[in-house]
Amino acid sequence: MNPAIDPRLIARLSTEFTSLGEQLNVLGRDLRTLHTQVLAEFPGTAGGQGASYPPVAGPVPPMPGPGQSTVPPMGIPAGQMYTVGAPAWPGWTAPGGQQPMPSQPPQRRVVAGRPVRAPWWQREGVISRVLAVAGVAVTLIGVVMLLVLAAQAGFFGPVPRVVAGAVFSGALVAVGARVFAKAGGRVGGIALAATGIAGGYLDVVAMTTLYKWLDPVVGYVVACGIAAGGVALAMRWRSQGLAVLVLAGAALLAPFVTTELALLGFLIVLQIAALPVHLVRDWPWLHVVRTLPAVLTTLVAVVGIALDSGTRAERFEVFAAAIVIAVAGLAGAVLSGRLRANDVTASLSFGAATVPMLAAPLLFSGRVAPTVVSGVFAAVLLLVAVVPWLPKLGAAARVPGHLAVVSALVGAVALFEACVGAVEVQTLPSALFVVAAGFLAVAGQQRSRFAAALGAAFGGLGALSFLFRADPGTLAAQPEAEAHLGLSTALSAVFLLAVLVVAAWTARRLGLLDRESDATVLSVCAGIGGLYAVTALTVSLGVATGSRDGFLAGHGIATVIWMVAATAALLFGLRRLARRSQQAKVALVAGLILTGAALAKLFLFDLATLSGLLRAGAFLVVGVLLLVVGTRYARVFAEMDSRTRSA
């Protein structure tokens, strides 16, 4: 018997090791075996004879199981086993009638088999972060008051104000570094450092714009150094929050220091200073914070100058700012996309950075300059969009697919601006149809549904503008037609027919015509659009001749073309009728409907408006076509009946 062995210590160790989990089960079993041996050596009591410690009253409890412990909280005698989070065994009462203390409630409760998170104000670190952000905001507002409001009230002099702001900002950064190095000081250190760095940035803005002590170029360089230092500190501390607070604080309060155009430069400096971060860190919020302030401020400047007719120098300054913002946004998206292909935030931020350039044509008067700006911008963006489709480029030159989509979408908007600025109202449909045909051709070649969607969008816009010029009322009334139709309308109708042809080819390349129902619907829509375009074409050409009967001749030719199309549809359906395909049924129905429409136009419109010779010619041609198709129709059904009887 060895009196140095304490069974209570062994039980406590056994419980502690058991709680470590399944990976330490082997060690736990060994300790329980040792505990059993000790109990066998001291039967009946925990101390035994010769022991130097007092015996434990009551029987020795069994070995603890999972979730149980013999290390009691305050008020429970040592050596007694209790269940974690539950009362002790039934019937047990602590000395003095005290009940066992319950364990602390877990941070997550389980209700109906699913965890329920604690309220946000009870989560660890939430309140401290809220207070830290509020402290940053309030302190920076105080810095702005020191730099601006004190100057307006005449308190102190410019030098004391600037020096006080600089010293205060440097002290905040120093204290923040010391606090960050201590245990639990991460939140406070980040808040203090962010406040100091943003305050120093605002101090430079005031020295450059408010007091005119620094040349703008020098001020931009100094400000870039401060912002880059703050971003570098954020990278060292691995804190996206520090970088976001620095940029957001400086950007939001800089407009309260100055409203001059130099403000655009300081906001762009913030955007550029954060670019290198994306080579190392995946910080999506930094994309947003470094981009939106410069974008919104520049957009406000563009609209303000466009409405207020600013000077030539101001217009070019704002235009240059819009270019730099777009380039910086593209650089950030490319840098981030090459390392992280799923960084969609970078591409969306680039899309936001292009908005000032889309509004930049408002800065220029006339037609040439806005068109050139929009056209060049569209060309650059579309070039970025087609990079993923260039097989000769290496992997290093490729851009993510979502960036290509954003570039193509913004480029399409810029191209629409160029079309609107380059042409007159009567030729706008032709320009839109040409662009639509180009997108559809690319979509068919590359089998890109996104390019097809862009082509369809331009085609829809072109169709709307075409209907605005050549609506059914204009086509039906001779005075309206002679006033609004002409060669430009005829050219637009030709381009519309070309778009329909290219769209049909693209739909086949994309597999949109694989299902018979889809092919039928698309064919019917294309047929209706084609007939309308042909009617507008013939009437416009007739009006363009300048002849008094040109309008009538155009309608007569249109009626004949309608009947030719109806005949072609009926013959196509009769040829495939034996196969009993859906296309044959649809072709026959469409042909019969079109035949009825042609006859209705012939008797209701042409008969009343056409002159004698034109009217006779239209009736003769339509009648011959009806005889041909009627004969063919009867022959096909007779052959089908004979086959049925012979079978």
Side-chain angles (χ1 to χ4, degrees), residues 83 87-93:
T83 302
W89 53 85
W92 183 88
T93 303

Side-chain angles (χ1 to χ4, degrees), residues 238-569:
R238 298 178 181 272
S239 173
Q240 180 179 196
L242 175 57
V244 169
L245 286 175
V246 169
L247 268 62
L252 292 177
L253 293 177
F256 293 95
V257 178
T258 180
T259 56
E260 299 178 2
L261 286 181
L263 173 64
L264 301 180
F266 284 104
L267 296 179
I268 293 173
V269 165
L270 291 176
Q271 183 187 17
I272 296 174
L275 279 178
V277 179
H278 303 299
L279 290 173
V280 182
R281 305 291 183 203
D282 183 13
W283 288 351
W285 284 108
L286 193 60
H287 284 295
V288 179
V289 174
R290 72 178 180 82
T291 303
L292 288 185
V295 168
L296 295 177
T297 307
T298 307
L299 189 60
V300 170
V302 169
V303 176
I305 291 179
L307 296 177
D308 196 26
S309 300
T311 64
R312 181 181 178 88
E314 291 175 342
R315 293 175 181 272
F316 278 100
E317 286 181 13
V318 176
F319 180 59
I323 294 176
V324 175
I325 290 172
V327 172
L330 178 60
V334 172
L335 290 177
S336 182
R338 290 177 60 185
L339 299 178
R340 293 168 293 274
N342 59 346
D343 192 357
V344 181
T345 307
S347 298
L348 295 178
S349 298
F350 165 62
T354 61
V355 174
M357 276 300 298
L358 293 177
L362 296 175
L363 296 172
F364 304 97
S365 59
R367 183 183 297 274
V368 177
T371 302
V372 171
V373 170
S374 299
V376 173
F377 188 48
V380 173
L381 290 173
L382 294 177
L383 181 62
V384 174
V386 302
V387 167
W389 295 341
L390 300 178
K392 294 183 179 180
L393 289 179
R398 293 185 178 275
V399 298
H402 46 80
L403 178 57
V405 169
V406 172
S407 299
L409 187 59
V410 179
V413 175
L415 188 57
F416 176 75
E417 290 181 348
C419 292
V420 172
V423 298
E424 300 291 341
V425 177
Q426 58 270 22
T427 55
L428 179 60
S430 299
L432 295 176
F433 285 142
V434 170
V435 175
F439 275 114
L440 290 172
V442 172
Q445 179 66 28
Q446 299 295 331
R447 288 185 169 86
S448 170
R449 299 203 171 200
F450 180 73
L454 291 179
F458 273 93
L461 293 174
L464 290 176
S465 59
F466 179 71
L467 286 175
F468 179 77
R469 295 286 301 173
D471 59 279
T474 302
L475 293 178
Q478 185 171 359
E480 294 291 330
E482 293 177 349
H484 297 94
L485 302 183
L487 289 178
S488 61
T489 313
L491 186 63
S492 298
V494 172
F495 284 131
L496 175 56
L497 292 173
V499 168
L500 292 174
V501 173
V502 177
W505 173 75
T506 301
R508 184 174 297 278
R509 292 272 295 178
L510 294 178
L512 301 179
L513 303 181
D514 293 343
R515 291 191 304 179
E516 196 171 19
S517 58
D518 295 340
T520 301
V521 172
L522 292 176
S523 300
V524 171
C525 294
I528 295 174
L531 285 176
Y532 191 90
V534 167
T535 304
L537 173 63
T538 56
V539 174
S540 298
L541 289 177
V543 171
T545 59
S547 173
R548 185 174 182 180
D549 295 332
F551 173 80
L552 303 178
H555 269 289
I557 297 173
T559 303
V560 172
I561 294 177
W562 283 26
M563 194 60 212
V564 170
T567 303

Side-chain angles (χ1 to χ4, degrees), residues 194-211:
T195 306
I197 296 170
Y201 196 91
L202 296 175
D203 210 32
V204 175
V205 174
M207 287 189 294
T208 305
T209 60
L210 193 61
Y211 303 124

